[in-house]
């Protein structure tokens, strides 16, 4: 009797959630992708937040049966979190799959003796987006809720039974995921270009914004790269291009380089394409440390007049991360001879964690922590074999082609990849067998 009641409760909740997306209030999708929100549907009586050990146990590589023709044969599941200003933490289960840079972002709850997950899916290479709901019932939920769940799972122990829909239909398509094995445990940095991804990829936050930094780990990133410039009054800010333009900002009446304007002017008059303010370097680093699980920051010095100020901010946030018990590697990126000369003028440059995009001799001279060659200049594998045993990490940039991503990951010759498609790198890294 009791189990029948619980199953009925789960079914009722699912009916409510699915109905929410089948009527007049269904999200309308335009050319700019609008990410559908379902999380509120989890905040109903009878649901419980998932404990840390249950979240950890959900992580793994899953075999896809129903839905493999659309989402591929294997999906990697990985948790992340977002904390707004260091508080109010929300946990997300992301699923990474091929083809075409597809990912899912879910939130989960326990309902009676089952687990419910709701969220959205998206393809990064176009505007395809939709909703999804999963249920884990009976023995699978019991396995995930057990105190020793992280150690005990075997292939087939956990099955996610789901339904997914597109922008044009309800959740009528089946999607079944069966636990196969744990994620690849090898350390590897998946570094999101432009703080999380390009504005051109129709993400729900603008590139080089605080908002996209908070989104980056849900898209698969373990680190972010962002572009630093300085305003007329010397404030280090995040902005990629050398000019204010409609690719990155809304119409404002201002033209020319951001360096021509004070930070107060930019704050008052300029908004990024999705309405955000241009953030300062300190705001960006605060978001990384306080609000995300990100492990790596690549500070790309686009146009810097005061490297000593950048170094002071650098030291401040290394100390902040350490004080909070966070492991966050923050590197001053050196892309040109100009920034290299500015860096070498610092009295403590040999102690400053840096990332060198120039040749390996320079990387050695400045005691760089990372050598970061450009992908289009040639395969760095052989050089990496020499330099990695000498204590250097090797990141390659900017790599977006799935075949090359898979090739480098399978070769195990790198420590990280800078990419516009974190979800693709995450898929190939996490499904790789040790």
């Amino acid at each position: 009797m009791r189990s029948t009641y619980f199953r009925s409760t789960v079914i009722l909740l699912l009916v409510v959630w699915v109905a929410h997306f089948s009527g007049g209030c269904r999200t309308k999708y335009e050319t700019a992708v609008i990410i559908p929100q379902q999380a509120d549907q989890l905040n109903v009586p009878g649901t419980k937040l998932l404990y840390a050990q249950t979240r950890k146990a959900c992580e793994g590589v899953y075999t896809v049966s129903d839905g493999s023709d659309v989402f591929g044969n294997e999906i990697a599941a990985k948790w992340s979190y977002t904390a707004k200003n260091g508080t109010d933490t929300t946990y997300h289960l992301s699923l990474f799959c091929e083809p075409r840079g597809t990912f899912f972002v879910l939130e989960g709850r326990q309902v009676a003796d089952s687990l419910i997950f709701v969220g959205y899916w998206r393809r990064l290479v176009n505007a395809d987006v939709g909703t999804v709901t999963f249920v884990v019932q009976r023995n699978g939920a019991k396995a995930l809720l057990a105190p020793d769940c992280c150690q005990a799972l075997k292939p087939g122990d956990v099955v996610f039974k789901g339904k997914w829909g597109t922008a044009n239909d309800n959740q009528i398509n089946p999607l079944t995921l069966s636990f196969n094995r744990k994620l690849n445990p090898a350390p590897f940095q998946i570094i999101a270009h432009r703080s999380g991804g390009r504005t051109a990829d129709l993400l729900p936050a603008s590139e080089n914004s605080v908002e996209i930094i908070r989104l980056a780990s849900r898209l698969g990133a373990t680190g972010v790269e962002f572009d630093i410039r300085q305003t007329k009054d010397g404030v280090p800010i995040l902005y990629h291009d050398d000019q204010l333009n409609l690719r990155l900002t809304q119409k404002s009446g201002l033209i020319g380089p951001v360096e021509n304007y004070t930070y107060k002017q930019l704050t008052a008059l300029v908004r990024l394409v999705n309405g955000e303010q241009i953030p300062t370097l300190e705001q960006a680093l605060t978001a990384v440390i306080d609000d995300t699980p990100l492990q790596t920051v690549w500070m790309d010095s686009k146009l810097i007049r005061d490297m000593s100020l950048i170094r002071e901010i650098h030291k401040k946030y290394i100390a902040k991360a350490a004080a909070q018990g966070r492991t966050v590697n923050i590197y001053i990126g050196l892309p040109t001879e100009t920034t290299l000369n500015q860096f070498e003028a610092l009295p403590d440059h040999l102690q400053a964690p840096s990332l060198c995009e120039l040749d390996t001799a320079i990387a050695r001279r400045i005691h760089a922590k990372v050598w970061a060659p450009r992908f289009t200049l040639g395969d760095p594998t052989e050089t990496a074999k020499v330099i990695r045993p000498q204590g250097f990490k090797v990141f390659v940039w900017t790599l977006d082609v799935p075949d090359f991503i898979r090739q480098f990951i399978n070769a195990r010759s790198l420590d990280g990849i800078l990419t516009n498609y974190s979800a693709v790198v995450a898929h190939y890294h996490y499904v790789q067998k040790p």
Side-chain angles (χ1 to χ4, degrees):
M1 183 73 179
R2 180 173 177 272
S3 61
T4 301
Y5 169 77
F6 286 159
R7 284 197 296 273
S8 299
T9 301
V10 172
I11 292 170
L12 177 60
L13 286 169
L14 282 174
V15 168
V16 171
W17 289 321
V18 172
H20 177 74
F21 292 95
S22 61
C25 59
R26 194 167 123 195
T27 303
K28 182 179 180 181
Y29 303 96
E30 307 295 345
T31 302
V33 173
I34 298 173
I35 299 298
Q37 302 297 316
Q38 294 200 78
D40 288 346
Q41 302 308 305
L42 291 175
N43 298 321
V44 297
T47 64
K48 299 178 183 178
L49 295 172
L50 303 182
Y51 289 111
Q53 70 267 20
T54 296
R55 293 197 303 270
K56 185 66 176 176
C58 291
E59 294 186 339
V61 179
Y62 288 77
T63 301
V64 184
S65 50
D66 300 321
S68 61
D69 56 327
V70 179
F71 298 110
N73 296 319
E74 286 189 319
I75 280 180
K78 184 79 168 65
W79 283 94
S80 65
Y81 69 82
T82 307
K84 185 71 171 180
N85 299 320
T87 62
D88 192 21
T89 303
T90 302
Y91 293 92
H92 304 95
L93 181 64
S94 295
L95 310 179
F96 307 112
C97 53
E98 275 288 270
R100 291 177 287 174
T102 305
F103 66 94
F104 296 69
V105 177
L106 313 171
E107 289 186 45
R109 297 290 188 274
Q110 180 182 350
V111 182
D113 59 356
S114 298
L115 303 181
I116 305 294
F117 296 85
V118 300
Y120 68 90
W121 63 271
R122 167 82 204 279
R123 293 199 196 280
L124 281 171
V125 298
N126 53 35
D128 289 352
V129 68
T131 59
V132 65
T133 301
F134 288 103
V135 182
V136 181
Q137 290 182 288
R138 301 184 180 88
N139 292 337
K142 183 178 179 181
L144 292 175
L145 293 167
D148 62 347
C149 53
C150 291
Q151 302 297 324
L153 289 185
K154 300 185 297 297
D157 278 355
V158 175
V159 177
F160 282 63
K161 296 289 291 185
K163 294 284 187 179
W164 65 276
T166 68
N168 300 312
D169 62 41
N170 304 326
Q171 293 180 8
I172 59 174
N173 309 293
L175 180 58
T176 303
L177 315 179
S178 300
F179 179 82
N180 181 278
R181 63 186 184 276
K182 293 182 179 181
L183 299 175
N184 174 19
F188 193 81
Q189 291 304 300
I190 304 164
I191 305 167
H193 195 207
R194 307 187 191 199
S195 301
R198 297 174 299 194
T199 294
D201 289 317
L202 304 177
L203 294 168
S206 304
E207 64 183 63
N208 280 315
S209 66
V210 167
E211 289 74 9
I212 204 166
I213 289 171
R214 294 190 180 115
L215 179 65
S217 60
R218 274 173 271 171
L219 306 184
T222 63
V224 289
E225 176 263 7
F226 42 64
D227 306 288
I228 307 171
R229 297 177 181 273
Q230 283 186 272
T231 62
K232 186 176 182 180
D233 51 341
V235 178
I237 60 170
L238 271 57
Y239 195 81
H240 182 275
D241 294 2
D242 59 1
Q243 302 277 325
L244 292 169
N245 57 54
L246 294 180
R247 189 187 79 79
L248 295 181
T249 65
Q250 299 175 0
K251 288 183 179 180
S252 67
L254 301 188
I255 59 174
V258 293
E259 293 85 358
N260 289 353
Y261 301 95
T262 66
Y263 181 66
K264 185 175 181 180
Q265 288 173 317
L266 293 174
T267 301
L269 300 174
V270 176
R271 291 294 180 271
L272 300 174
V273 291
N274 287 296
E276 310 95 336
Q277 291 184 340
I278 295 175
T280 66
L281 172 60
E282 294 208 50
Q283 289 170 338
L285 290 171
T286 296
V288 169
I289 294 169
D290 287 352
D291 300 346
T292 78
L294 296 168
Q295 305 164 14
T296 297
V297 176
W298 175 341
M299 302 195 307
D300 191 5
S301 305
K302 288 293 186 189
L303 185 57
I304 299 301
R305 299 193 305 275
D306 188 352
M307 184 64 78
S308 61
L309 174 59
I310 303 302
R311 174 59 175 148
E312 288 305 310
I313 294 172
H314 186 215
K315 289 190 288 188
K316 174 182 175 180
Y317 283 89
I318 290 173
K320 176 181 174 68
Q324 295 181 199
R326 292 288 318 280
T327 300
V328 184
N329 294 307
I330 306 173
Y331 304 111
I332 296 178
L334 304 173
T336 66
E337 292 284 348
T338 299
T339 53
L340 171 67
N341 292 337
Q342 292 173 322
F343 180 75
E344 288 194 285
L346 297 174
D348 66 341
H349 73 275
L350 294 178
Q351 289 74 48
S354 62
L355 178 151
C356 182
E357 297 180 28
L358 307 171
D359 65 51
T360 56
I362 294 173
R364 291 186 180 95
R365 186 178 81 212
I366 64 175
H367 296 182
K369 298 293 186 182
V370 180
W371 177 56
R374 183 174 184 169
F375 164 67
T376 53
L377 296 181
D379 187 342
T381 300
E382 293 305 313
T383 306
K385 290 178 182 178
V386 174
I387 199 170
R388 290 176 80 200
Q390 298 172 6
F392 292 90
K393 294 181 180 178
V394 178
F395 300 161
V396 70
W397 64 277
T398 298
L399 188 52
D400 295 336
V401 180
D403 286 344
F404 288 123
I405 290 171
R406 182 172 60 244
Q407 173 186 321
F408 279 123
I409 287 176
N410 288 343
R412 306 174 195 265
S413 58
L414 302 176
D415 300 287
I417 291 175
L418 174 66
T419 182
N420 290 299
Y421 299 126
S422 299
V424 177
V425 180
H427 170 77
Y428 285 119
H429 168 62
Y430 289 124
V431 303
Q432 184 187 43
K433 295 180 180 178

